[in-house]
Amino acid sequence: MTTLDRDETHAPAALPRPVVPGRPLPLRVAVPLAVAAGLALLVAFPPYGVWPLAPVGVALLAAAAHRRRLRAGAGLGFLTGVAFFAPLLAWTNLHTGYLPWVLLSLLQAGYLALLGAATAWVSPLVDRARWAWPALTGLLWVGQEALRDRTPFGGFPWGRLAFSQDSSPLLRLAALGGAPLVTFVVALIGGLLVTAAWRGWVTAQRHAPEPTTAPGEAAPGADGPLDGPARAGGAGARRWTPVVVPAVVAVALTVGGLLVPVATAGSGDTVTVAIVQGNVPRLGLDFNAQRQAVLNNHVDATIELAGRVAAGQQRRPDLVVWPENSSDIDPLRNPTAGARISQAADTIGAPILVGAVLLGPDAGQVRNAGILWHPGTGADLDQLYTKRHPVPFAEYVPLRDVARLVSKKVDLIRNDFVPGSTPGVVRAGTTVLGDVICFEVAYDEVVRDTVTGGAQLLVVQTNNATFDVAEARQQMAMVRLRAVEHGRPALMASTVGVSGFVAPDGRVSDATGFNTREVVVRQLRLDDGRTLATRLGWWPEVALAALAAAALVGAAVLRRRQRVRPG
């Protein structure tokens, strides 16, 4: 008897248990479905980008966990999580060894185990009201992501369903309710698919030859409301209505995303912005040992851009953006580094937003910052943003003594990065930037705070030198969603790629190659309006998560009533 589902009765090996409507799917079917669910979710994300597979993955997990006990549902959810997160996060083991990757993947898979258990838990609600299945599926996914995005140590939102929809019509829904609404609708469509498929399977079973019943096993018949027999007199059309209607609604919801109005360009002033992707001598963790070379790369690329401007080959930018870690030498304390940045700013004749590592404020501490550097006057300390959400075990080590028992590599992080306390609102002349650094783009509130603070252009400074092109493309998908969510032009500036500009409708322009040195310049129209998602803030997620909690409570009440009912 398997540990996944001890509650199921198995027929002798010589006569496999038949598939009987009214029961959970046999484990021989549910386990492959759970693994297939994870793989479908994986392929929906960049670099593959087959976004229609996201709701398919949701549907497969919902089918596998339906009507199971909590432990079995959790086990199947965990299988889905491992199949999904292990390859999705494979870029985390490129230069740090396999252990951080394995631990992070297992931790994230644990949240899908909770989702699988919750899916099993609400099965009585689904059986009582079949049309509630899609909504329940969507609510549980939002609730799971709300928890995963915040725990532990501030959470890790990578792999949210919404981030798989960067080229989908559903991306436009971000303008109405942000990433939580997109996730809800993707999972809702998955719920519609499983509703249609499950009823189609039941209908097919009803009209198939009677299966052979295993010795000691109940014959088909005692079915829940979900699997009740088709009514007499309706024959063919009505028999298949419960299959066709959910499938049609799923397609209509997907296509209907195109009807959500979004801006194709800003409505404010025009500004010319240059992204400098200086590249690094070698990919990997030793980019820190190459920090002078990395700084020189960005200085030299900016000076070369100034030469093209002087020759009339390129429009002079109003702003130049360098990526995160473009100066890992503190330019405020190292005169040589400061002089090189000043040389670049003076030559191009425009302010540069520099991604810098700054020492302090206390001994043994450092800050990951974006600082505005003006031609002629140098660093503007009033326009400095310190990263608010440092990455645990990458930029700081919580529980260092305990973490050291797991891996000695934690001591590669000698100084903990300290978080900033204010949103990344940086004023470059008449242009107000919303600066977020690297993984911060995945956190709803970090980006929104810059927009409510007045940002007209979203800027994501990142360093992908320790990762790969798959991670960079996954991050660009997040930038696309943020642009639509807040109706802002956006850009991502990376040390090694992918860099590029994003329009308020999510279209990417001038995307650079990976591990290359490139400079791209584009005119953008700023915007200071507010979308419905910006105005609503976190309330859509709060409402959906609260409904998910109510569904869990409702399932508990229904389960209790079923236990005490006579017979």
Side-chain angles (χ1 to χ4, degrees):
M1 193 173 290
T2 176
T3 58
L4 267 179
D5 215 359
R6 295 182 182 275
D7 59 308
E8 296 187 17
T9 302
H10 295 272
L15 184 59
R17 181 171 64 84
V19 178
V20 180
R23 294 181 175 177
L25 295 176
L27 278 179
R28 67 178 183 272
V29 176
V31 169
L33 281 185
V35 175
L39 296 178
L41 292 171
L42 170 68
V43 177
F45 282 78
Y48 313 104
V50 188
W51 57 264
L53 288 181
V56 172
V58 170
L60 292 174
L61 176 58
H66 184 53
R67 292 176 174 161
R68 312 209 95 86
R69 291 199 176 185
L70 296 187
R71 183 168 54 184
L76 292 167
F78 189 76
L79 287 177
T80 297
V82 171
F84 173 41
F85 283 112
L88 183 77
L89 303 177
W91 43 265
T92 60
N93 78 336
L94 293 177
H95 307 287
T96 59
Y98 71 91
L99 189 58
W101 163 59
V102 169
L103 293 178
L104 180 60
S105 300
L106 294 179
L107 174 64
Q108 299 306 300
Y111 288 92
L112 288 196
L114 292 176
L115 175 64
T119 301
W121 180 255
V122 300
S123 295
L125 290 178
V126 172
D127 286 338
R128 187 179 184 90
R130 175 167 56 89
W131 295 108
W133 203 351
L136 287 171
T137 302
L139 293 173
L140 293 181
W141 270 92
V142 173
Q144 173 267 140
E145 288 189 357
L147 182 65
R148 187 167 66 85
D149 298 351
R150 292 167 175 82
T151 59
F153 310 116
F156 187 69
W158 219 270
R160 297 170 73 178
L161 285 181
F163 297 150
S164 69
Q165 302 298 298
D166 59 315
S167 56
S168 160
L170 298 178
L171 181 68
R172 290 170 168 252
L173 297 175
L176 303 180
L181 179 61
V182 178
T183 285
F184 173 74
V185 175
V186 172
L188 176 71
I189 292 171
L192 288 166
L193 294 179
V194 72
T195 301
W198 192 282
R199 188 52 186 253
W201 167 73
V202 170
T203 300
Q205 289 288 315
R206 290 291 177 198
H207 297 85
E210 193 71 20
T212 303
T213 303
E217 187 174 40
D223 304 316
L226 178 63
D227 298 332
R231 292 182 180 180
R238 275 191 290 178
R239 181 187 310 147
W240 288 99
T241 296
V243 178
V244 175
V245 170
V248 170
V249 174
V251 174
L253 275 177
T254 304
V255 177
L258 296 172
L259 302 178
V260 178
V262 294
T264 56
S267 58
D269 296 335
T270 299
V271 62
T272 302
V273 181
I275 300 173
V276 175
Q277 179 179 300
N279 208 10
V280 300
R282 294 180 304 281
L283 297 175
L285 288 176
D286 64 343
F287 77 89
N288 281 312
Q290 314 164 48
R291 53 188 185 168
Q292 184 63 59
V294 174
L295 174 58
N296 288 339
N297 282 358
H298 288 84
V299 170
D300 294 343
T302 304
I303 292 175
E304 291 170 6
L305 171 62
R308 294 196 295 274
V309 170
Q313 301 171 353
Q314 182 66 65
R315 180 188 297 269
R316 183 180 300 278
D318 301 303
L319 172 70
V320 178
V321 179
W322 287 4
E324 176 192 25
N325 299 131
S326 50
S327 180
D328 271 357
I329 307 170
D330 186 344
L332 303 181
R333 302 198 183 195
N334 186 300
T336 302
R340 289 243 64 193
I341 299 173
S342 291
Q343 179 188 6
D346 294 344
T347 305
I348 193 63
I352 302 174
L353 182 64
V354 179
V357 173
L358 306 179
L359 302 178
D362 298 325
Q365 293 181 331
V366 288
R367 291 172 289 164
N368 193 347
I371 181 170
L372 200 64
W373 208 279
H374 291 281
T377 58
D380 186 345
L381 299 183
D382 292 330
Q383 305 303 324
L384 185 153
Y385 168 61
T386 299
K387 187 176 184 179
R388 296 168 61 193
H389 205 302
V391 181
F393 303 103
E395 294 178 313
Y396 76 100
V397 182
L399 308 174
R400 186 179 287 268
D401 291 339
V402 176
R404 189 179 291 114
L405 298 176
V406 178
S407 173
K408 300 296 184 183
K409 288 185 179 292
V410 298
D411 291 324
L412 291 174
I413 306 169
R414 297 183 180 89
N415 299 319
D416 286 337
F417 282 78
V418 294
S421 57
T422 58
V425 180
V426 178
R427 301 180 185 277
T430 59
T431 302
V432 184
L433 310 177
D435 188 21
V436 296
I437 298 177
C438 200
F439 287 8
E440 286 187 319
V441 70
Y443 296 88
D444 297 344
E445 69 281 358
V446 174
V447 181
R448 181 178 179 270
D449 286 348
T450 70
V451 177
T452 57
Q456 302 165 306
L457 169 64
L458 298 178
V459 174
V460 179
Q461 295 178 287
T462 187
N463 173 28
N464 308 109
T466 58
F467 305 127
D468 62 11
V469 68
E471 184 271 346
R473 289 179 179 171
Q474 291 163 16
Q475 200 169 15
M476 179 61 84
M478 301 176 196
V479 180
R480 297 179 70 176
L481 182 137
R482 298 306 178 195
V484 175
E485 179 180 13
H486 298 294
R488 292 291 187 277
L491 64 86
M492 186 164 89
S494 170
T495 47
V496 299
V498 175
S499 303
F501 297 97
V502 181
D505 62 356
R507 288 176 296 112
V508 178
S509 302
D510 302 313
T512 64
F514 189 76
N515 196 21
T516 60
R517 175 167 153 178
E518 296 188 49
V519 176
V520 289
V521 182
R522 192 170 186 84
Q523 279 189 301
L524 304 172
R525 293 198 68 183
L526 306 176
D527 204 309
D528 54 10
R530 296 202 176 179
T531 64
L532 180 61
T534 306
R535 292 194 295 269
L536 292 176
W538 70 334
W539 287 111
E541 184 177 44
V542 170
L544 292 169
L547 289 173
L552 295 175
V553 173
V557 172
L558 185 57
R559 282 172 171 269
R560 180 174 178 81
R561 288 177 178 175
Q562 289 175 341
R563 283 200 301 270
V564 301
R565 184 177 298 149

